[in-house]
Structure formats: C-alpha cells, structure tokens
C-alpha cells in the first residue's frame, strides 16, 4: 500500500499482486520495466516468485527485468538470499520514497 502511495504521485504505472503466485501470473501475461518484490508474501514468497520469473525469462528467451527485493531486515544474509534468487538489488523496510525512486531509476537504466 505504501509503495502504491509513493509511486501513485509519479509517472510510473503501478500494478500490484497480493501474493507471489499472482505476481508470477501477472508477469508472464504482461510487460513490466521493473518489479518491486516483497520477500514475505503469502501463497508463494517473493524469493520463490523471483526464481520462477527468472526461469520463465530463460525458457522464453527474454531479457531479465530488474527485480528489487523488499525485506524486513537489512542483514547481509537477506541481501545474499535475494541475489541468489535472482533479484537485481535489495531494499530494507521501512523504505523511504526518495530511496525507492532512486533505486528504480538506477535499475531501469542499467
């Protein structure tokens, strides 16, 4: 909800999923420039969803879309687990709007 509020005042179009399974379905049926993936989601967690997204991109010969992992903790182990799952980068909650927007700009321009 907070991310929707942050991004709702920008030029970014926002599409939200309630769980990792829904995020995967949305990703495979539409085009996205960046994914902000909450790691702790019901049904399928964000790391599992990211792994499945990366697998789908490989099998469909698609360029990887940047995935920004959101985690509750700033520990290095959280960052490493996110990278191992295929996330482009990692942000710890609580998130600040400026950091979110700067991160989105950085990963989209890579």
């Amino acid at each position: 909800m907070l991310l929707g509020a942050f991004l709702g005042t920008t030029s970014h179009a926002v599409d939200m999923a309630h769980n990792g399974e829904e995020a995967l379905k949305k990703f495979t049926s539409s085009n996205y420039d960046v994914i902000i993936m909450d790691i702790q989601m019901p049904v399928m967690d964000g790391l599992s969803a990211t792994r499945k997204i990366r697998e789908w991109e490989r099998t469909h010969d698609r360029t990887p879309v940047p995935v920004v992992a959101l985690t509750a903790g700033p520990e290095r182990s959280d960052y490493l687990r996110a990278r191992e799952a295929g996330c482009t980068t990692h942000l710890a909650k609580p998130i600040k709007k400026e950091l979110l927007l700067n991160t989105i700009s950085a990963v989209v321009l890579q």
Side-chain angles (χ1 to χ4, degrees):
M1 297 266 226
L2 181 61
L3 296 181
F6 283 170
L7 296 172
T9 61
T10 69
S11 62
H12 298 289
V14 177
D15 188 8
M16 291 194 211
H18 295 96
N19 59 62
E21 187 174 281
E22 184 180 335
L24 178 61
K25 286 179 185 174
K26 285 179 176 250
F27 177 80
T28 60
S29 64
S30 195
N31 293 314
Y32 296 93
D33 295 324
V34 65
I35 299 167
I36 311 299
M37 183 70 78
D38 193 336
I39 297 308
Q40 296 178 333
M41 291 191 291
V43 182
M44 179 189 301
D45 66 76
L47 295 179
S48 296
T50 300
R51 285 185 195 98
K52 290 187 179 287
I53 285 170
R54 294 302 186 221
E55 180 182 322
W56 187 89
E57 288 170 330
R58 281 189 299 275
T59 61
H60 290 84
D61 199 28
R62 299 285 177 92
T63 301
V65 171
V67 176
V68 178
L70 290 182
T71 66
E75 291 83 25
R76 179 150 175 79
S77 60
D78 293 322
Y79 173 78
L80 293 174
R81 287 181 339 135
R83 293 292 289 196
E84 287 171 3
C87 296
T88 309
T89 193
H90 157 272
L91 295 174
K93 298 177 200 173
I95 186 93
K96 302 258 188 248
K97 182 177 181 178
E98 183 177 354
L99 178 59
L100 175 65
L101 295 178
N102 288 342
T103 301
I104 290 171
S105 292
V107 298
V108 170
L109 296 176
Q110 285 183 344

